Amino acid sequence: MKIKKLVLDNFGLFRGHNEIDLDTRVVRGKVKPIVLIGGKNGSGKTSILESIRLCLYGSQGIADRISVKGYEQYLRGRVHRDDSLLINPTSAAVTLIFEHAHIGAKHEFTVTRSWDVKENSVSSSLEVFRDGTPLDEIDRENAEEFLRDLVPPGVAQLYFFDGEKIQELAEAEDVDAALSDAIKNLLGLELVDRLQADLRIYKNRIDNEDANADVVKTIEAMDNELLERRSELVELRKSHDAAVSQSDSIRKDIARQEARIAKEGGAYANKREELEVQKRSHTARIEELENEIRRHAENLLPFTIVPQLCNEVEFQLSAERKIQEWNAVEKVVEDRGSKFQITVKKLLRQHEKDIGAEILSGIESEILVALMHFVEKPKELSTASAIHNLSSDQQARLLTGIERARTEVPGQIEKLRKSLEKETRSLLKAEQALKKVPSEDQLKPMVEAINELNQQLGASQTIVRQKESALGSADFAIKELERKLEKAEKLKRESGKLHQKQEFAERVQAVLEEYHKKLLQAKSTELGEALIKRFSQLWRKGDRAKRIEINPTTYEVVLYDRHDRAVPKKELSAGEKQIYAIAILWALADVSGRPLPMVIDTPLGRLDGDHRNHLVERYFPHASHQVIILSTDTEIDEEYFNDLSPSVSHAIHLHYAKDDARTIVEDGYFWKRRSTKKELAGATQ
């Protein structure tokens, strides 16, 4: 089977006539199997999968058991509605065009399911065309059954599924029961059970011809009682399923309430006291750091921001120190110079006769000039002046302070700055978290609602357990009655003449039993092999799983590691359980041998990066000859889109136009798209 086109008329968010081309393209002789449909949450992706199920299976595509009233309410809710429109549509339709090989020949089928909504009723119709011609009268009268035979619902659920289906299978405690149902649907074993029941009735009719009248009456009474018991069992199962559905619904309500609390900041409520302590601690530490910075500001910090001025002060103090030193010796030098001058004159006068007055005068002048040069103030001090007039100790302390301002203080201030910045960020973080803490008035009604829902869940689970107990009792009663009936039938056969037809019927029944047993055994083995193959392909720890065994009687699945040790399912992480569920669906599809397209809605939501990579690389391109993926831009993002491109036939984008309250179908994906004229024209109708 290959889906060629889906047509939505006023269905859900799709206003007017919308055609979605799902046929795969052939590029350079190679079929590209993937059709990628992207859309934000709330843009109508799930409606695509939903419309395919609805078109093929009607009410059965919506839920396993839904009342006529419930189905009518569903159809009412799926007619497009926009409160801004003067007149809203009162009818809707979904059309699926697909190719399918039926009884050895390939045909094109067009299936249209439409409905009209009136004030007090909903009328629906189904039309099926084969190669453009309506079905013949017999097939037309049984169109629903015809479609179910064409694509059995039990098999289709292995090909048309969403993230919730994967999650449900991944988290199911009784996954063996789910697998049992899937295998029975896959193999059509209900037909074998029905044939066996018909054979038993046929045998009874033969036996009645010659059997004892009292035995016949007893058997007839038992048969009638057995029919009643089985009818009661069917009703009990419906009642049990309804109770389970009610429990599941309550659990979803609880999950929604918990999500609402989390959204309102409920997760922070338990941390309020801790956050308050953190806030006080960070505030106190910030105050300590600011005080430390203030102490530096009152001491040497100002010097660090005026290094040039510090250099000038240091130079001035050095000059003043020299001035002080000169001033301290200037008087002594002058006195000694004067005395030296007098002594020199006396000595020279003693040799005046020998030297001559003129020479003596020259020598005296030179000595006096040298002496004046020696005792005069140094030139570098002649232009300097004392400004600060500090003592030597005061100068030393000031110079030491300037040196520390250059070397020590900047490092200390930088360390304080980093600590203050860190504490300030932590304080802001704590304050922001405290702002998210909802008030008691906000939380109280939500907590009360969860408490009430938990009480309802407890009561609902009690009802489920009661129903399960009743089912067990009813099943036991039926088996006991069947045992008595088998004993009576044996007595009847012994009292009457066994016909050749009866012997033939018994042989056929035995063959069916053996066929049933061997078919389950063979398919369980085949499924186990397919499951380990697909599981190993998808699991990032590909060497961990060595083999998988499936019990053909209980359908229990046991996974063995490379050391041949059983791996309990509870040891798998949430992501690994998701991969396990996808592997089960893939393996079941492999074993079915039916060439059906895969339609997968939001498959990557709860997976980590490695498992997402495995699905993109190893699953999507090979899952089927046609794979329709419905995704958000956070699942198949630009990187994954590029990885898938070699296998992508084409991409479609669902754009929700908020102002028009409708979804528009566009070519392309999120970052590269355009609306086709046909789609835009249809969407405006």
Side-chain angles (χ1 to χ4, degrees):
M1 174 182 178
K2 185 170 75 168
I3 299 175
K4 300 181 72 174
K5 185 181 291 185
L6 176 66
V7 183
L8 304 176
D9 290 287
N10 291 322
F11 182 77
L13 296 174
F14 298 88
R15 183 194 302 173
H17 184 76
N18 298 267
E19 295 187 4
I20 303 175
D21 179 12
L22 301 176
D23 198 1
T24 55
R25 311 283 198 264
V26 178
V27 180
R28 298 185 183 92
K30 180 184 176 182
V31 177
K32 295 199 170 190
I34 296 176
V35 177
L36 183 59
I37 302 178
K40 300 281 189 180
N41 289 332
S43 62
K45 297 188 304 302
T46 301
S47 295
I48 301 294
L49 175 59
E50 187 182 331
S51 63
I52 293 173
R53 288 173 173 165
L54 174 64
C55 189
L56 289 174
Y57 308 117
S59 61
Q60 194 174 350
I62 306 307
D64 289 339
R65 281 173 289 275
I66 185 171
S67 65
V68 174
K69 184 177 180 182
Y71 182 49
E72 287 186 354
Q73 288 176 343
Y74 167 80
L75 292 178
R76 283 181 182 274
R78 301 314 289 148
V79 177
H80 177 78
R81 182 172 181 80
D82 180 1
D83 293 335
S84 66
L85 294 178
L86 184 62
I87 300 176
N88 271 294
T90 59
S91 63
V94 292
T95 299
L96 193 66
I97 302 172
F98 58 92
E99 288 180 353
H100 194 288
H102 184 55
I103 316 178
K106 183 183 288 187
H107 301 281
E108 181 178 279
F109 291 89
T110 301
V111 180
T112 299
R113 194 177 296 271
S114 59
W115 60 97
D116 292 309
V117 175
K118 297 180 174 58
E119 186 175 353
N120 298 318
S121 64
V122 176
S123 58
S124 61
S125 63
L126 174 65
E127 292 182 332
V128 181
F129 288 78
R130 179 167 46 207
D131 299 327
T133 304
L135 295 179
D136 58 43
E137 186 175 350
I138 295 177
D139 285 339
R140 192 163 58 249
E141 290 177 356
N142 300 279
E144 298 281 7
E145 191 68 29
F146 175 83
L147 288 175
R148 283 195 288 271
D149 288 341
L150 202 63
V151 187
V155 175
Q157 67 177 344
L158 307 177
Y159 292 85
F160 306 157
F161 58 87
D162 55 15
E164 288 187 6
K165 173 72 174 177
I166 299 171
Q167 184 74 3
E168 178 186 331
L169 191 56
E171 295 180 352
E173 295 181 5
D174 189 11
V175 70
D176 304 333
L179 198 59
S180 167
D181 292 339
I183 291 175
K184 287 180 179 179
N185 287 326
L186 186 68
L187 303 179
L189 294 179
E190 71 279 0
L191 296 176
V192 177
D193 293 337
R194 192 189 311 169
L195 183 55
Q196 286 176 324
D198 291 343
L199 280 170
R200 191 180 60 77
I201 293 171
Y202 176 69
K203 282 168 56 185
N204 286 338
R205 287 176 181 172
I206 295 173
D207 291 345
N208 289 341
E209 295 177 5
D210 297 317
N212 182 279
D214 292 336
V215 175
V216 171
K217 287 181 180 179
T218 301
I219 291 175
E220 286 179 352
M222 287 184 178
D223 271 334
N224 291 332
E225 185 179 355
L226 192 58
L227 286 173
E228 291 177 5
R229 295 272 188 175
R230 284 176 174 162
S231 296
E232 291 173 0
L233 184 62
V234 170
E235 294 303 318
L236 276 173
R237 281 179 179 156
K238 289 182 180 179
S239 177
H240 169 265
D241 291 346
V244 170
S245 177
Q246 178 67 18
S247 291
D248 291 342
S249 177
I250 294 172
R251 284 194 185 92
K252 290 179 181 178
D253 289 341
I254 291 173
R256 281 193 289 268
Q257 283 293 337
E258 289 175 343
R260 184 182 170 197
I261 288 178
K263 184 178 179 181
E264 294 293 334
Y268 292 94
N270 296 330
K271 297 182 179 179
R272 183 196 295 273
E273 187 174 346
E274 178 186 344
L275 291 170
E276 291 286 0
V277 170
Q278 290 178 8
K279 180 181 177 181
R280 289 194 294 270
S281 173
H282 293 313
T283 302
R285 179 61 180 150
I286 288 171
E287 188 174 351
E288 289 178 9
L289 292 169
E290 288 177 341
N291 288 334
E292 186 67 22
I293 293 173
R294 289 190 189 98
R295 283 193 288 274
H296 278 284
E298 293 169 358
N299 197 354
L300 298 177
L301 181 60
F303 289 93
T304 64
I305 59 177
V306 285
Q308 182 60 35
L309 185 58
C310 286
N311 292 336
E312 293 175 3
V313 169
E314 190 175 32
F315 180 81
Q316 177 65 27
L317 289 176
S318 177
E320 289 189 12
R321 184 176 69 252
K322 291 178 181 179
I323 290 173
Q324 288 175 344
E325 291 173 350
W326 171 257
N327 290 338
V329 299
E330 184 179 21
K331 183 64 177 173
V332 175
V333 170
E334 287 178 354
D335 290 344
R336 292 195 176 229
S338 297
K339 289 179 181 180
F340 180 75
Q341 184 179 359
I342 294 171
T343 301
V344 169
K345 284 182 178 183
K346 285 181 179 181
L347 289 173
L348 290 174
R349 291 287 182 267
Q350 292 175 2
H351 300 284
E352 184 177 357
K353 292 180 180 182
D354 298 329
I355 299 172
E358 186 177 351
I359 294 173
L360 183 65
S361 177
I363 292 171
E364 184 180 354
S365 296
E366 287 182 12
I367 291 173
L368 288 175
V369 169
L371 180 62
M372 290 301 295
H373 180 72
F374 175 74
V375 299
E376 73 178 354
K377 182 183 291 188
K379 288 182 179 180
E380 66 267 21
L381 299 181
S382 60
T383 58
S385 60
I387 299 174
H388 303 294
N389 295 318
L390 300 177
S391 66
S392 297
D393 289 343
Q394 288 174 328
Q395 286 183 3
R397 286 198 300 273
L398 184 54
L399 288 171
T400 301
I402 289 174
E403 182 63 22
R404 287 183 57 208
R406 285 187 183 133
T407 58
E408 298 176 14
V409 175
Q412 294 171 350
I413 292 298
E414 178 62 15
K415 185 177 179 181
L416 288 170
R417 183 193 68 77
K418 289 181 178 179
S419 298
L420 182 60
E421 184 179 340
K422 179 181 177 182
E423 292 295 330
T424 302
R425 282 199 301 268
S426 299
L427 176 62
L428 288 173
K429 186 177 178 181
E431 288 176 340
Q432 288 171 354
L434 280 169
K435 288 178 182 178
K436 294 179 181 179
V437 176
S439 66
E440 292 295 329
D441 292 340
Q442 288 176 296
L443 279 182
K444 186 177 179 181
M446 290 185 280
V447 172
E448 288 177 349
I450 284 185
N451 290 338
E452 183 179 348
L453 286 170
N454 278 318
Q455 290 177 359
Q456 294 176 11
L457 181 60
S460 179
Q461 288 175 328
T462 300
I463 294 172
V464 170
R465 287 192 291 271
Q466 291 172 349
K467 298 293 184 184
E468 287 174 347
S469 177
L471 274 173
S473 299
D475 192 51
F476 176 79
I478 287 174
K479 287 179 179 177
E480 183 66 16
L481 189 58
E482 286 175 340
R483 186 186 63 79
K484 292 178 180 179
L485 183 58
E486 184 179 355
K487 187 176 179 181
E489 288 173 342
K490 184 178 179 181
L491 180 62
K492 183 177 68 173
R493 286 193 297 272
E494 291 174 353
S495 64
K497 181 181 178 182
L498 291 176
H499 293 173
Q500 185 179 5
K501 291 181 180 179
Q502 186 194 35
E503 292 176 355
F504 179 74
E506 286 178 349
R507 288 200 300 272
V508 172
Q509 206 164 25
V511 169
L512 284 174
E513 286 285 352
E514 187 66 18
Y515 170 77
H516 188 283
K517 181 179 178 181
K518 289 187 176 180
L519 181 61
L520 279 178
Q521 180 67 51
K523 286 298 181 181
S524 295
T525 301
E526 184 181 352
L527 180 59
E529 292 172 353
L531 182 53
I532 189 63
K533 175 184 176 183
R534 297 312 187 186
F535 190 46
S536 298
Q537 282 181 267
L538 298 179
W539 202 5
R540 65 171 176 231
K541 304 172 186 174
D543 60 341
R544 182 177 178 186
K546 179 182 178 183
R547 64 188 178 91
I548 290 177
E549 287 186 356
I550 301 175
N551 188 307
T553 304
T554 64
Y555 303 99
E556 179 185 8
V557 181
V558 182
L559 171 68
Y560 293 90
D561 63 14
R562 58 179 177 271
H563 303 295
D564 215 33
R565 294 176 301 200
V567 180
K569 184 187 171 190
K570 64 182 180 182
E571 290 186 6
L572 303 181
S573 68
E576 288 169 344
K577 288 178 182 177
Q578 297 267 323
I579 289 295
Y580 177 68
I582 293 172
I584 287 176
L585 291 170
W586 195 4
L588 284 166
D590 286 343
V591 174
S592 77
R594 293 175 182 263
L596 296 176
M598 284 279 188
V599 183
I600 313 170
D601 183 13
T602 57
L604 302 180
R606 298 177 176 85
L607 296 177
D608 60 28
D610 288 342
H611 284 132
R612 285 189 175 199
N613 289 337
H614 284 195
L615 249 65
V616 169
E617 295 170 5
R618 305 177 185 180
Y619 178 58
F620 294 146
H622 311 291
S624 182
H625 63 283
Q626 182 182 29
V627 182
I628 300 168
I629 304 175
L630 303 151
S631 174
T632 64
D633 58 343
T634 59
E635 290 189 296
I636 304 298
D637 56 18
E638 192 159 1
E639 179 183 353
Y640 287 140
F641 179 84
N642 292 332
D643 292 341
L644 281 175
S645 289
S647 301
V648 173
S649 166
H650 59 287
I652 296 167
H653 179 253
L654 304 180
H655 169 63
Y656 179 68
K658 187 175 180 181
D659 293 340
D660 294 335
R662 63 185 174 92
T663 290
I664 299 172
V665 181
E666 303 172 335
D667 284 340
Y669 205 51
F670 287 94
W671 43 85
K672 188 178 181 181
R673 59 183 186 268
R674 63 182 179 82
S675 301
T676 65
K677 294 180 180 179
K678 191 173 186 179
E679 288 160 343
L680 286 174
T684 57
Q685 290 180 9

